[in-house]
Amino acid sequence: MSARTPEGNQRVRSSSQIGSAAAEMQFFMIVSDSEIAKFVSANGVHRLFVDLEYLGKDLRQKNLDTWKSKQTLDDVSRIRAAVPDAHLLVRINPLHEHTATEVREVLARGANSVMLPMFRTADDIAYFLDLLAGRAEAVPLVETRDALQNLPRIVETLPLQRLHIGLNDLHLDLKMTFMFQPLAEGLLEESAAAMRQYSVKFGIGGLARAGEGMISPEYLLGEHVRLGSDAAILSRTFHRKSQTITELHRNIDFPREITLLQEIYQNYRRKPYVELQNNRNELIQRIQKICIESMQRKEKGHEL
């Protein structure tokens, strides 16, 4: 397979030109309820997300308060029927003996894009692309050290349009303390540069509401812009784990909170690079502080 060339033979951007060119941030949201799916797709969510991954996840994230899916193929069909014109993203299990069957099932039920978690090599993605055969968009989910290291070569040689970097499993695979530590350590820089060079769109992790989270979107979205990311998954805390449309309306002014995130994102897009770097420096300090505090708590726990 011949190597890809940067789209339009454009020059790779210099550091002063780094940043996202997307008109707006793309938001993905995991949904199970049909009425919620209808409402959020009409109010700022770009991709409805059904998550079928379960293989190995409980073991990897057993001590973390993270999303562990109980969704099934029936959820894919129900969400597709509820919002036939919306973009439906389905995450399948990591590659295993029944992956081809999973891919056939989610395509038959109307998936527009399919996310593959926990891959490691270019061969993994080439096989995944062969299974899809152009019938849906491939969205590899970068969650391992090997995937991160291989990503520049992957985006150079394989015809991908979008990827997502999953910080939960990635920081665990890297044996790090805190989910956002890969950002602070600069471990996404090379991969982000490669994806910009080869015009592969990408997103990073998830987002809470404006002003919330251990690291709030007021800092994270600056890194999205600086690195060139244009997408994030709305966290469970964003909508307070709402299970019904009644709960959603009670728990959040959804359109307003989406607008606030977009305003933060747009504000960073207008800033000069030096201000994006200043935000990064502040972000690093905040992440390092959380890591130090976490290590101190563990040390105290061992002393008891």
Side-chain angles (χ1 to χ4, degrees), residues 62-111:
K62 60 182 178 180
N63 295 320
L64 298 178
D65 180 24
T66 54
W67 163 260
K68 299 177 180 68
S69 180
K70 292 181 173 60
Q71 292 186 294
T72 69
L73 286 166
D74 288 341
D75 291 288
V76 179
S77 297
R78 184 172 62 258
I79 300 302
R80 176 77 292 162
V83 197
D85 295 328
H87 188 111
L88 180 58
L89 166 66
V90 180
R91 176 161 59 188
I92 61 174
N93 282 296
L95 290 176
H96 66 297
E97 59 181 333
H98 300 300
T99 297
T101 299
E102 281 192 28
V103 168
R104 284 196 300 271
E105 284 284 357
V106 300
L107 292 178
R109 292 167 189 257

Side-chain angles (χ1 to χ4, degrees), residues 154-267:
I154 288 171
V155 298
E156 178 186 0
T157 58
L158 295 175
L160 293 170
Q161 296 177 321
R162 176 172 290 279
L163 294 98
H164 201 83
I165 299 173
L167 295 178
N168 264 332
D169 274 312
L170 181 60
H171 95 276
L172 294 173
D173 199 60
L174 293 169
K175 305 296 189 289
M176 289 184 166
T177 302
F178 180 44
M179 178 172 61
F180 293 112
Q181 202 171 346
L183 281 173
E185 299 291 336
L187 298 183
L188 308 189
E189 303 293 324
E190 182 180 1
S191 292
M195 288 186 282
R196 293 193 305 269
Q197 179 179 358
Y198 290 99
S199 300
V200 178
K201 296 178 181 179
F202 67 99
I204 301 172
L207 290 172
R209 295 187 198 184
E212 296 186 359
M214 295 182 74
I215 303 293
S216 75
E218 281 83 350
Y219 298 100
L220 289 172
L221 283 168
E223 276 296 89
H224 279 268
V225 171
R226 188 186 68 83
L227 290 169
S229 163
D230 72 348
I233 300 167
L234 297 175
S235 69
R236 293 177 301 153
T237 59
F238 182 85
H239 55 77
R240 302 295 191 265
K241 304 180 183 179
S242 298
Q243 297 296 309
T244 67
I245 192 66
T246 300
E247 289 180 4
L248 187 73
H249 288 320
R250 182 173 63 242
N251 290 337
I252 181 174
D253 183 343
F254 196 91
R256 176 179 179 275
E257 295 297 338
I258 290 290
T259 296
L260 288 175
L261 292 183
Q262 290 288 8
E263 287 175 350
I264 296 168
Y265 177 71
Q266 295 298 333
N267 185 46

